[in-house]
């Protein structure tokens, strides 16, 4: 089996992430990692908090804490939420780790030795009222390309164009709002991306054929516009220090590396954190160094992160002239909007992950988000759509099936799976249908197509309901008890099959379904086509229990309260 390295874009440290952040990187990466593990592959799923940069400093200042203390607390808070969503990271690290510092500085030294980092005197924006140089993202103004009036000095989040602060129209400080800005001279390090452009383009040509159009088009847009040399240091107190053995003057001035230089390197740093926790059994280099032929690497991210992952980070890796593992497949996502407008961490617009878990268990959110993932286009979260999806798919199609099968069987045949008649034509047709749907489900997951995979999973659940309606055991029991027992035995095997196949999407509910049956040995990781046709994993005589309701319906009163609390359109159609 293959070795799969999976990373999801690092969530930034300043604040709880919203559902758009969740569905744009971490959750799909988790679904994919779980699926691959179940298929028997060796998987390493790596993520971390992105802790450097001005926003962390300012958030710490607002909280009245030293920045390192603030980041440690915020990391733990975020990790607890991701545990609540059952994200199965092999390691969730920190970009402020010693490992990332060491590897980032190693990259910088190698790039410098190979002639791809240059020290330049530049003129940088200084805020007279804030009495500090302003990092790019803390200068805001109007984007010269699309007219968005809240564009940051590093990138316009509206059109995704990369910017320099001097590009902005009517720039102002994002800290104080002051427009009393002046330009002063200072020295910084530049990554000579222009010198690496041909290599990056050749690498993209050779590796992007299977990428989603969203990812490849953004990467090529950058290349078409031409790669510019980019400053990779900042005047900040918090970050990976410029190494004094290579740039003593800049180190003495307290320069640190730009967060977008060290953040992607943290994928490697976090892997080394994981490895250092058990060095006798883990080897971080086997995943990242001279691993092109042994590891398949998949990255998950929202579309605004694509340029940095498909151009800047590969350029950084190529420039080291070392055999670092580069991405094989980039899974990029569009935006999940909130009633047509953007989720916003800074404006607290939308549903945030901590609030989501307060309302409902993680599986409600996991299923809905993946079934409506913004893969080909932007999608919109509404409470009405969420309610309809939960009630129809989870409560009715899956949850009601599980409850009525087990409850009816216990009432009529006791707490063991009934034997009944041998399988007949209806069971044979069902088995073929399930095997076909299983194949579709696998194809979509292998292709990292989550909406289509969710549709196939839902079709698997629906097949059980159709079978139950066709056989009608509540009527069979009156004239053909053995036939009713066969129907229920078959339906119970469907529940077990659903438990195995649903785990990537709804792991907690899958576990509940699976543990309803007291099997002497239940180590099935997946379901083969023959097993799908046979539907015999749970034999007659197996003890079972009726679990609590898997998914409670969202009532009209619930919906009204959600809309009142979070905002929305109470008159929207379901």
């Amino acid at each position: 089996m293959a070795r799969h390295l999976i990373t999801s874009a690092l969530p930034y440290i300043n604040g709880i992430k919203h559902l758009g952040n969740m569905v744009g990187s971490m959750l799909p990466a988790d679904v994919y990692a779980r699926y691959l593990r179940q298929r028997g592959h060796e998987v390493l799923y790596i993520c971390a908090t992105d802790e450097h940069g001005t926003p962390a400093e300012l958030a710490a200042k607002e909280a009245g804490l030293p920045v390192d203390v603030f980041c440690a607390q915020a990391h733990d808070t975020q990790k607890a939420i991701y545990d609540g969503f059952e994200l199965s990271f092999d390691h969730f690290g920190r970009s402020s780790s010693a490992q990332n510092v060491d590897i980032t500085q190693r990259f910088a030294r190698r790039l410098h030795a190979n002639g791809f980092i240059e020290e330049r005197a530049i003129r940088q924006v200084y805020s007279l009222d804030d009495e500090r140089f302003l990092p790019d993202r803390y200068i805001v103004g109007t984007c010269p390309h699309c007219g968005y009036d809240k564009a940051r000095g590093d990138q316009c989040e509206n059109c995704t164009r990369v910017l320099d602060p001097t590009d902005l129209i009517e720039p102002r400080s994002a800290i104080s709002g002051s427009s009393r800005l002046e330009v002063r001279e200072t020295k910084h390090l530049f990554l000579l991306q222009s010198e690496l452009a041909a290599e990056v383009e050749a690498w993209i040509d050779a590796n992007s054929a299977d990428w989603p159009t969203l990812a490849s088009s953004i990467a090529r847009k950058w290349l078409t516009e031409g790669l510019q040399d980019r400053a990779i240091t900042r005047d900040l107190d918090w970050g990976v220090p410029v190494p004094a053995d290579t740039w003593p003057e800049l180190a003495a001035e307290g320069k640190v590396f730009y967060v977008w230089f060290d953040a992607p390197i943290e994928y490697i740093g976090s892997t080394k954190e994981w490895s250092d926790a058990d060095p006798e059994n883990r080897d971080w280099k086997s995943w990242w160094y001279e691993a092109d032929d042994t590891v398949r690497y998949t990255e998950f991210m929202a579309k605004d992160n694509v340029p940095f992952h498909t151009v800047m980070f590969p350029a950084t890796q190529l420039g080291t002239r070392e055999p670092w593992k580069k991405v094989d497949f980039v899974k990029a996502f569009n935006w999940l909007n909130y009633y047509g407008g953007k989720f916003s961490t800074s404006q607290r617009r939308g549903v945030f992950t901590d609030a989501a878990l307060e309302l409902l268990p993680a599986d409600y959110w996991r299923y809905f988000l993946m079934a409506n993932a913004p893969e080909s286009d932007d999608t919109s979260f509404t409470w009405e759509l969420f309610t309809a999806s939960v009630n129809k798919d989870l409560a009715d199609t899956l949850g009601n099936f599980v409850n009525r099968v087990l409850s009816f069987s216990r009432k009529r045949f006791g707490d063991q799976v009934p034997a009944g008649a041998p399988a007949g034509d209806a069971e044979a047709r069902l088995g073929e249908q399930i095997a076909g749907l299983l194949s579709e489900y696998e194809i979509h997951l292998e292709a990292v197509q989550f909406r289509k995979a969710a549709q196939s999973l839902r079709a698997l659940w629906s097949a059980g309901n159709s079978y139950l309606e066709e056989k009608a055991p509540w009527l069979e029991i009156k004239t053909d008890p053995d036939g009713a027992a066969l129907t229920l035995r078959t339906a119970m095997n469907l529940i077990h099959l659903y438990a195995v196949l649903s785990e990537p999407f709804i792991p907690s509910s899958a576990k509940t379904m699976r543990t309803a049956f007291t099997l002497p040995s239940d180590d099935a990781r997946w379901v083969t086509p023959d097993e799908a046709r046979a539907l015999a994993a749970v034999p007659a005589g197996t003890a079972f229990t009726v679990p609590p309701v898997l998914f409670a319906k969202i009532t009209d009163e619930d919906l009204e309260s959600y809309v009142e609390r979070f905002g929305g359109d109470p008159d929207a159609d379901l």
Side-chain angles (χ1 to χ4, degrees), residues 190-444:
F190 279 72
L191 177 64
L192 305 185
Q193 293 186 132
S194 61
E195 300 293 325
L196 292 160
E199 292 181 54
V200 173
E201 184 168 13
W203 174 77
I204 289 176
D205 288 342
N207 292 278
S208 66
D210 296 331
W211 294 2
T213 301
L214 179 63
S216 60
S217 62
I218 292 174
R220 293 194 178 280
K221 179 183 176 183
W222 258 43
L223 292 173
T224 299
E225 293 172 353
L227 296 190
Q228 304 298 314
D229 299 340
R230 191 153 182 82
I232 58 168
T233 52
R234 294 292 187 269
D235 294 285
L236 294 171
D237 297 326
W238 177 245
V240 174
V242 168
D245 57 7
T246 309
W247 295 282
E249 182 180 344
L250 297 187
E253 294 175 3
K255 306 285 187 184
V256 300
F257 285 108
Y258 173 42
V259 63
W260 260 112
F261 182 73
D262 83 87
I265 296 172
E266 166 58 9
Y267 295 136
I268 307 173
S270 185
T271 308
K272 192 170 188 300
E273 293 175 51
W274 165 81
S275 180
D276 287 351
D278 187 8
E280 293 185 4
N281 298 300
R282 300 172 180 173
D283 178 12
W284 68 276
K285 275 195 171 182
S286 72
W287 292 94
W288 283 105
Y289 203 81
E290 296 180 339
D292 283 345
D293 297 330
T294 59
V295 173
R296 178 170 173 79
Y297 177 23
T298 304
E299 293 177 343
F300 290 81
M301 71 201 69
K303 59 186 176 183
D304 59 330
N305 286 332
V306 169
F308 300 99
H309 285 81
T310 60
V311 177
M312 186 173 176
F313 186 39
T316 301
Q317 292 176 299
L318 289 165
T320 65
R321 299 296 186 244
E322 293 181 321
W324 294 104
K325 176 64 185 177
K326 289 171 282 296
V327 65
D328 294 298
F329 189 82
V330 178
K331 179 63 176 181
F333 290 85
N334 289 283
W335 303 127
L336 176 69
N337 293 320
Y338 186 76
Y339 284 90
K342 289 185 176 180
F343 277 85
S344 173
T345 299
S346 59
Q347 299 175 24
R348 294 294 296 180
R349 173 180 169 80
V351 185
F352 287 72
T353 49
D354 56 344
L357 292 178
E358 290 174 10
L359 294 180
L360 293 164
D363 282 356
Y364 290 69
W365 303 104
R366 288 178 63 103
Y367 174 78
F368 173 82
L369 291 172
M370 297 315 302
N372 296 276
E375 291 178 294
S376 57
D377 298 290
D378 292 350
T379 59
S380 188
F381 177 94
T382 71
W383 285 109
E384 295 76 21
L385 178 62
F386 176 73
T387 297
S389 180
V390 166
N391 288 352
K392 180 181 178 181
D393 296 346
L394 295 179
D396 285 345
T397 304
L398 178 60
N400 187 50
F401 176 82
V402 172
N403 183 263
R404 65 174 174 162
V405 165
L406 296 179
S407 296
F408 186 75
S409 186
R410 182 177 65 180
K411 179 179 179 180
R412 294 293 185 169
F413 296 102
D415 293 332
Q416 293 186 345
V417 176
D425 291 343
E427 288 69 40
R429 290 193 302 272
L430 174 66
E432 288 298 330
Q433 181 186 15
I434 294 297
L437 291 170
L438 170 60
S439 177
E440 292 179 12
Y441 184 51
E442 292 172 348
I443 288 170
H444 296 321

